[in-house]
Amino acid sequence: MANPALGELIRHRPFLAFSVSRLAAMTANQMLMVAIGWQMYDLTGSAWDLGLVGLFQFVPALLLTLPAGHAADHLNRGRIFAACMASQAIVALTLLSATHTGQETRELILGLSIILGVARAFQMPAQQALIPLLVPPKILGQAIALNASGMQAAIIAGPAIGGALYIFGATTVYLVGTILLLIAAGLMLAVRYTQTPPPGGTSLHSVLAGVRFVWQNKILLGATSLDLFAVLLGGATALLPMFAKDILHTGPEGLGLLRAAPAAGAFLMSLALLRWPLHRHTGNILLASVAIFGLATIVFGLSTSFGLSLVALAVTGAVDNISVVIRQTLVQADTPDEIRGRVSAVNSIFIGASNQLGEFESGATAALLGPVGSVVLGGIGTVVIALLWLRLFPGLARRDRLVE
């Protein structure tokens, strides 16, 4: 039976253009991450430097995300997103030129990682706060699930394409990434929507409004902080070049498949959520998905089989997609539009911390314990966090309906 909400979503042209723009941007971003990670490991052979790439993206994102959320509430969110895409295109062009002339260095990659962190600081709250302005509230959950499907499709295609193109050299990856980012910027500039800026000027009190809202709403606080600690401990993305090269004995193509595996699982799960949306037992499903994420991470860490590693990573992606859809729908549905950008900024800090800081944590612990010890310990920690949050945030566990 056809899903009427899905048909209604496709008929919303601004949302469709926004989704295609994000698809192109995410594809390019994943291609760049494959090329940057492999190039950095080729240059230095250091797990620490792989972790630093994540840290150098995280720090500016942490410092700027709250002001970026304020900007998303007071300025045109689509133009902010387009400017972020253009900035990332400049980074890709710089890497293209440096690699072509043989001037790529560890310091250059780390410096450009800072620029990527700044761009993402403004990109995340703007793009998250846009979705409720492009679709009716009754299909917001399906809109977030459909957008997640597109993102996961890009995360599948991006690493695989990036790994395949890397065979022809990093310059090819950077060139294609630049083109996709410019397409994303152009599409976003064409999106039209109505946004009413909140009254009042810029002040510290106004900038921190999102922080106050999340802190006072224990369900949102529990959901966002759960993702922070789970992915902070359980993420293994930064170490995939080491697993590919030293443990699973594969090349750039294999690394691309490993990076794409979580997205493949997430893509299939997002399609399932589009067909069978979550309606009941939301809190318990969220906590269970995080616990399964930790268990699958342990399996990946212990695996020496390329096939088993792909399956374990696909499971982490599938259950993480459940967490993403639940968390983002809660944030958007439970937040008034006048502070949605600032609340989305707080959510972005949690996401950024779990991804970029998680990459640094993985690199640092791998330098001490080795990649296997780092990933297994992180998976155990993720399971412990899910059990602990069951006690610390009972309101989250009791949350029944996704949109009340």
Side-chain angles (χ1 to χ4, degrees):
M1 181 181 297
N3 190 328
L6 180 58
E8 186 176 352
L9 278 173
I10 296 175
R11 289 192 295 270
H12 280 78
R13 292 186 178 180
F15 174 76
L16 188 60
F18 166 71
S19 298
V20 173
S21 176
R22 287 193 70 183
L23 179 68
M26 182 59 70
T27 301
N29 179 262
Q30 292 300 308
M31 291 170 58
L32 293 181
M33 290 303 98
V34 168
I36 289 173
W38 196 269
Q39 196 168 31
M40 175 64 90
Y41 197 54
D42 265 347
L43 285 171
T44 68
S46 168
W48 175 260
D49 286 335
L50 286 175
L52 284 180
V53 171
L55 180 65
F56 275 54
Q57 292 182 46
F58 167 72
V59 171
L62 177 64
L63 296 177
L64 295 175
T65 297
L66 290 181
H70 189 272
D73 282 334
H74 290 80
L75 303 176
N76 187 289
R77 293 167 184 167
R79 292 177 183 173
I80 293 175
F81 182 89
C84 294
M85 295 305 98
S87 300
Q88 293 181 55
I90 292 173
V91 169
L93 273 175
T94 303
L95 287 168
L96 169 62
S97 175
T99 304
H100 180 68
T101 57
Q103 296 178 338
E104 72 276 22
T105 64
R106 169 183 180 272
E107 290 71 24
L108 176 66
I109 292 175
L110 293 178
L112 292 175
S113 295
I114 296 175
I115 299 176
L116 290 175
V118 172
R120 289 173 190 166
F122 285 86
Q123 173 189 339
M124 293 293 287
Q127 71 183 20
Q128 289 181 27
L130 258 175
I131 297 178
L133 300 179
L134 303 178
V135 298
K138 65 179 181 179
I139 56 173
L140 177 60
Q142 286 89 340
I144 291 175
L146 179 61
N147 204 252
S149 299
M151 288 183 62
Q152 299 305 333
I155 296 173
I156 295 168
I161 295 172
L165 290 178
Y166 201 95
I167 298 174
F168 304 99
T171 54
T172 305
V173 182
Y174 296 138
L175 175 61
V176 175
T178 300
I179 295 171
L180 289 175
L181 287 166
L182 293 177
I183 290 173
L187 283 172
M188 198 65 246
L189 289 174
V191 173
R192 296 291 180 265
Y193 63 94
T194 301
Q195 177 181 343
T196 304
T202 301
S203 66
L204 182 61
H205 185 270
S206 176
V207 170
L208 295 178
V211 176
R212 291 194 302 274
F213 185 85
V214 173
W215 181 257
Q216 293 165 4
N217 189 318
K218 298 306 179 184
I219 291 179
L220 294 188
L221 179 62
T224 52
S225 61
L226 175 66
D227 180 78
L228 165 66
F229 287 104
V231 182
L232 172 63
L233 294 173
T237 303
L239 301 180
L240 288 183
M242 297 186 70
F243 275 88
K245 196 169 188 177
D246 301 333
I247 297 175
L248 302 175
H249 307 294
T250 184
E253 324 82 59
L255 173 61
L257 291 175
L258 288 172
R259 288 189 67 99
F267 178 67
L268 294 176
M269 180 58 71
S270 61
L271 292 180
L273 293 178
L274 276 173
R275 182 63 186 87
W276 300 284
L278 295 172
H279 292 299
R280 306 295 302 272
H281 314 298
T282 298
N284 286 329
I285 292 174
L286 175 62
L287 291 165
S289 68
V290 171
I292 296 172
F293 181 92
L295 293 174
T297 299
I298 295 171
V299 172
F300 170 76
L302 295 175
S303 170
T304 56
S305 163
F306 186 74
L308 179 60
S309 296
L310 288 176
V311 171
L313 289 173
V315 172
T316 66
V319 293
D320 184 56
N321 184 261
I322 296 174
S323 172
V324 167
V325 170
I326 292 176
R327 186 185 69 253
Q328 291 193 4
T329 304
L330 289 176
V331 168
Q332 303 303 332
D334 291 7
T335 305
D337 183 64
E338 60 267 20
I339 61 169
R340 191 172 279 133
R342 282 164 284 183
V343 172
S344 296
V346 176
N347 187 41
S348 298
I349 290 177
F350 284 106
I351 295 173
S354 63
N355 291 326
Q356 274 73 52
L357 192 57
E359 291 182 7
F360 173 71
E361 179 271 337
S362 296
T365 54
L368 295 174
L369 305 175
V372 173
S374 172
V375 171
V376 171
L377 182 62
I380 294 172
T382 301
V383 175
V384 171
I385 287 294
L387 296 174
L388 186 60
W389 256 234
L390 184 65
R391 299 291 302 273
L392 292 179
F393 296 94
L396 176 61
R398 290 195 301 266
R399 175 74 178 236
D400 186 21
R401 296 190 178 273
L402 187 59
V403 179
E404 294 183 338

